[in-house]
Amino acid sequence: MEKTCTNVWESCLQIIKDNIPTQSFKTWFEPIIPLRLEESVLTIQVPSLFFYEWLEEHYVGLLRKTVKKHLGDKGRLEYNIVVEKSSSQKPFTTNLPSSGNGAEGKNQSIPMPIALNKDIKNPFVIPGLKKLQVDPQLNPNYTFENFIEGDCNRLARSAGYAVGAKPGGTSFNPLMIYGGVGLGKTHLAQAIGNEVKKTMPDKLVIYVSCEKFCQQFVDSLKNNTINDFVNFYQAMDIIIMDDVHNFAGKEKTQDIFFHIFNHLHQSGKQLILTSDKPPKDLAGLEERLLSRFKWGLSADLSVPDMETRMAILKKKMYQDGIELPNDVIEYVANNIDNNVRELEGAMVSLLAQSTLNKKEIDLALAKQMLKNFIKNTSKEISMEYIQKLVCEYFEVPVEMVKSKTRKREIVQARQISMYLSKSHTKTSLKSIGAFFGGRDHSTVIYACQTVEDLIDTDKKFKAYVYDIQKKLKMS
Ligand code: ADP
Ligand code: MG
């Protein structure tokens, strides 16, 4: 039988079909059209450059074997790639050889993707508009103005600001924002998107959670729309992908994202990622993807300090046009100290309850209401905590209290810490002495005596101690 491109490709497909999962076959091989066979060179047409990259990356070995089986050792494969410039123009094609053609099948480098520009079907596009328009999926409240600055977020915030002013134009690409739950990752990442949309409305920005992206990928496999899916994301100027730790274990989706990432990065587009851990600690992600996550800047969001927590609460109150007494705000900020979302939640629940009960909120009521919110209300006060509180109060470094120094303000902080440890914990004098820099029990007795005397004689000192005690009791 004479060999034609059609029957050679058919025979190849028979073998390929037996060697890969049905779904993969349907996705990656059924759309291929055999074009011609000239002197042992089989040319196949693939719908996009991305298709070509994918085939070369995942199936080059299989393709090489099958082509050589049917065309002999001289057998070569070439791709004809449809590159659609715009819907009005005829698609033009470009030819590329397979890297599997060489005797050893050594990988040659895959050429840079060509920017594609076509009408793209995708879940976010607003229908009926000619130019590609995308609803960026941003929450308009997540802005920089609403994002309180503090030591906990200074680097991430200013890097985000720089990226928002010049997307793709800084070395922070990708910008990876990482940190624990409820610390503002989503807010900050979206603030960048909102900023760009405000100053450069034509930029195509898309916010997508990693989970949603994975789901869209699975759907596009099912519906045979993988090409549209990839083209859509590759057409963006800025992708904000939230919670990339959720890529763990999803290799196929990581592969796709890897290609999208490369395409955007090479064309100077901006990627913004968030995750619950720094890239080096992310488990279940492919090394090559992780290495790209480390290319730009990783900046962390940590737990806000008391001052920042108060500022966040006040800002929120101001926005909602409500007022709470200062000691209530202080109480909330003091007790919910590791999650901004919970901080806001506590306040909302306070307000809701006060509206329902038609009662003004005072500290007693707040304590009563927040019982359920604040876990282990009766938690034991530890010497560490006392020490931390005292040092924060007098603004002295914690390690100084344990040192030998006799500087007045340090001695004072040390003595008050000892005094409070004696009155607020069940620790023995000996253990208190040991904790505060290996001192003996008589030092502790002397410290307590001194503090008591000063409380009696020095009004200012008395106020200090009462103030700290109040804070202790609020915890
Ligand atoms: P994450 O994505 O890290 O879990 P979010 O971005 O969803 O956290 O933040 C949780 C809530 O806390 C949001 O309502 C957000 O607006 C608020 N928030 C977090 N950090 C700040 C901040 N620095 N200033 C103002 N609001 C903040
Ligand atoms: Mg989030």
Side-chain angles (χ1 to χ4, degrees):
M1 184 176 70
E2 197 203 341
K3 282 186 172 163
T4 65
C5 67
T6 318
N7 66 32
V8 167
W9 182 240
E10 268 310 315
S11 324
C12 289
L13 285 183
Q14 290 310 322
I15 300 177
I16 293 167
K17 201 173 194 164
D18 289 340
N19 282 286
I20 64 172
T22 317
Q23 182 62 59
S24 310
F25 183 80
K26 273 178 77 166
T27 306
W28 301 110
F29 289 91
E30 283 189 356
I32 296 175
I33 303 165
L35 277 190
R36 56 181 171 270
L37 178 66
E38 286 162 355
E39 303 183 11
S40 307
V41 178
L42 173 67
T43 305
I44 56 174
Q45 182 176 321
V46 294
S48 72
L49 192 67
F50 173 74
F51 238 84
Y52 157 76
E53 287 176 3
W54 191 269
L55 289 169
E56 281 289 286
E57 183 173 334
H58 293 87
Y59 302 111
V60 72
L62 184 59
L63 279 167
R64 187 180 72 235
K65 266 192 230 142
T66 49
V67 166
K68 295 212 187 259
K69 185 167 157 84
H70 291 289
L71 295 175
D73 256 1
K74 288 212 180 84
R76 295 275 183 281
L77 182 66
E78 275 195 23
Y79 296 87
N80 178 281
I81 299 159
V82 182
V83 183
E84 290 180 60
K85 287 302 274 185
S86 81
S87 52
S88 56
Q89 278 177 341
K90 273 219 166 298
F92 76 91
T93 59
T94 178
N95 287 342
L96 289 166
S98 167
S99 63
N101 286 339
E104 269 82 54
K106 265 266 162 264
N107 272 354
Q108 71 190 50
S109 68
I110 296 173
M112 295 245 283
I114 301 155
L116 302 172
N117 180 11
K118 55 175 278 192
D119 280 343
I120 296 162
K121 289 179 235 101
N122 72 82
F124 298 129
V125 168
I126 301 161
L129 290 164
K130 257 250 153 320
K131 211 169 137 240
L132 179 58
Q133 297 233 357
V134 177
D135 177 345
Q137 309 285 308
L138 296 168
N139 177 339
N141 295 323
Y142 286 166
T143 59
F144 280 110
E145 293 85 77
N146 292 343
F147 192 78
I148 303 286
E149 184 170 356
D151 286 341
C152 55
N153 61 33
R154 209 173 308 279
L155 172 67
R157 190 180 184 283
S158 54
Y161 206 80
V163 167
K166 241 177 139 191
T170 69
S171 53
F172 310 150
N173 199 12
L175 175 63
M176 162 76 97
I177 301 165
Y178 66 90
V181 186
L183 294 182
K185 301 184 293 295
T186 301
H187 185 143
L188 183 55
Q190 290 211 10
I192 303 170
N194 276 317
E195 183 67 21
V196 171
K197 273 313 226 186
K198 195 172 79 187
T199 52
M200 298 165 250
D202 286 343
K203 291 268 184 208
L204 294 174
V205 177
I206 190 75
Y207 166 86
V208 64
S209 70
C210 181
E211 243 180 316
K212 188 160 183 181
F213 182 86
C214 294
Q215 189 54 50
Q216 289 175 342
F217 171 66
V218 172
D219 288 347
S220 72
L221 279 181
K222 233 188 303 178
N223 305 329
N224 254 324
T225 52
I226 188 80
N227 224 17
D228 289 328
F229 172 77
V230 173
N231 284 340
F232 169 73
Y233 282 104
Q234 291 193 339
M236 292 302 115
D237 294 307
I238 293 155
I239 293 183
I240 304 168
M241 167 126 8
D242 210 354
D243 296 326
V244 295
H245 48 267
N246 289 331
F247 268 135
K250 302 193 175 105
E251 279 161 31
K252 285 271 154 55
T253 324
Q254 286 181 43
D255 276 355
I256 284 275
F257 187 62
F258 178 75
H259 282 273
I260 295 171
F261 185 106
N262 287 344
H263 177 90
L264 291 179
H265 200 275
Q266 281 163 357
S267 20
K269 305 299 170 63
Q270 179 72 44
L271 292 119
I272 298 154
L273 314 165
T274 78
S275 109
D276 65 355
K277 292 181 203 68
K280 69 176 173 50
D281 296 335
L282 280 174
L285 265 72
E286 284 179 48
E287 198 42 51
R288 60 177 193 171
L289 193 56
L290 274 183
S291 84
R292 272 159 182 72
F293 287 180
K294 295 176 198 159
W295 273 356
L297 175 77
S298 302
D300 77 314
L301 293 179
S302 51
V303 176
D305 55 24
M306 179 70 187
E307 199 183 328
T308 313
R309 295 201 295 277
M310 299 264 297
I312 291 173
L313 284 177
K314 284 183 178 156
K315 173 94 189 176
K316 184 98 182 122
M317 281 186 359
Y318 177 78
Q319 277 172 346
D320 296 357
I322 50 178
E323 258 181 79
L324 283 177
N326 222 26
D327 56 348
V328 171
I329 300 178
E330 219 174 289
Y331 176 75
V332 175
N334 208 356
N335 282 279
I336 301 178
D337 58 2
N338 58 7
N339 184 324
V340 180
R341 191 178 295 130
E342 278 182 19
L343 198 62
E344 290 182 348
M347 203 175 69
V348 170
S349 113
L350 264 184
L351 288 167
Q353 296 189 52
S354 95
T355 316
L356 287 176
N357 301 335
K358 300 200 169 53
K359 266 195 207 164
E360 289 278 307
I361 299 171
D362 59 15
L363 186 57
L365 197 60
K367 280 188 183 174
Q368 169 75 22
M369 285 174 171
L370 289 185
K371 254 194 201 134
N372 301 329
F373 235 97
I374 293 162
K375 290 168 214 111
N376 43 38
T377 29
S378 61
K379 76 175 169 212
E380 283 206 3
I381 295 172
S382 67
M383 289 195 287
E384 268 102 357
Y385 186 62
I386 291 172
Q387 175 180 254
K388 177 171 161 267
L389 215 58
V390 173
C391 292
E392 266 174 19
Y393 189 84
F394 291 114
E395 295 178 339
V396 299
V398 170
E399 59 284 356
M400 291 299 279
V401 171
K402 291 187 171 179
S403 75
K404 296 248 174 304
T405 184
R406 289 186 179 283
K407 268 184 150 163
R408 223 183 68 86
E409 72 264 28
I410 305 288
V411 172
Q412 177 178 285
R414 187 186 299 136
Q415 289 182 331
I416 293 177
S417 299
M418 287 178 170
Y419 168 81
L420 293 173
S421 295
K422 179 167 171 276
S423 49
H424 289 83
T425 74
K426 295 190 184 86
T427 320
S428 68
L429 294 174
K430 194 172 161 213
S431 307
I432 294 175
F435 181 81
F436 291 101
R439 295 169 159 89
D440 65 24
H441 80 284
S442 61
T443 312
V444 182
I445 293 175
Y446 177 73
C448 295
Q449 193 63 55
T450 312
V451 171
E452 276 163 21
D453 289 349
L454 280 170
I455 287 176
D456 286 342
T457 54
D458 182 340
K459 265 205 188 128
K460 222 163 129 197
F461 186 87
K462 182 176 171 177
Y464 289 160
V465 177
Y466 278 28
D467 229 16
I468 298 170
Q469 245 165 351
K470 204 171 108 193
K471 286 184 196 291
L472 253 190
K473 283 185 192 145
M474 284 202 291
S475 62

